[in-house]
Amino acid sequence: MGCYNGCPYLNKDFTADWQIEDPTGKNDFEFIKIINQFKEKVLQLKNIQYL
């Protein structure tokens, strides 16, 4: 979810750049923090209603 790449499973007009940091090399606390950011974004995405 970055670099404004279109998702191959959704309409090409849909793009999302969540600006979530790469957890590579981070400690466990930071890794869990990033996982929670993904979780929140996915839950928000799930609740989007398309007309």
Side-chain angles (χ1 to χ4, degrees):
M1 289 295 180
C3 302
Y4 294 99
N5 293 327
C7 176
Y9 300 106
L10 299 174
N11 184 336
K12 286 292 186 181
D13 292 337
F14 178 86
T15 58
D17 186 347
W18 290 351
Q19 299 178 353
I20 294 177
E21 210 174 322
D22 183 351
T24 303
K26 305 259 186 224
N27 63 37
D28 290 348
F29 175 78
E30 290 298 318
F31 205 93
I32 291 169
K33 187 170 114 180
I34 292 168
I35 289 170
N36 288 332
Q37 289 174 349
F38 268 106
K39 179 181 175 183
E40 184 62 32
K41 294 290 186 180
V42 168
L43 291 174
Q44 289 173 4
L45 188 59
K46 177 185 164 200
N47 290 323
I48 292 176
Q49 302 222 350
Y50 295 98
L51 300 174

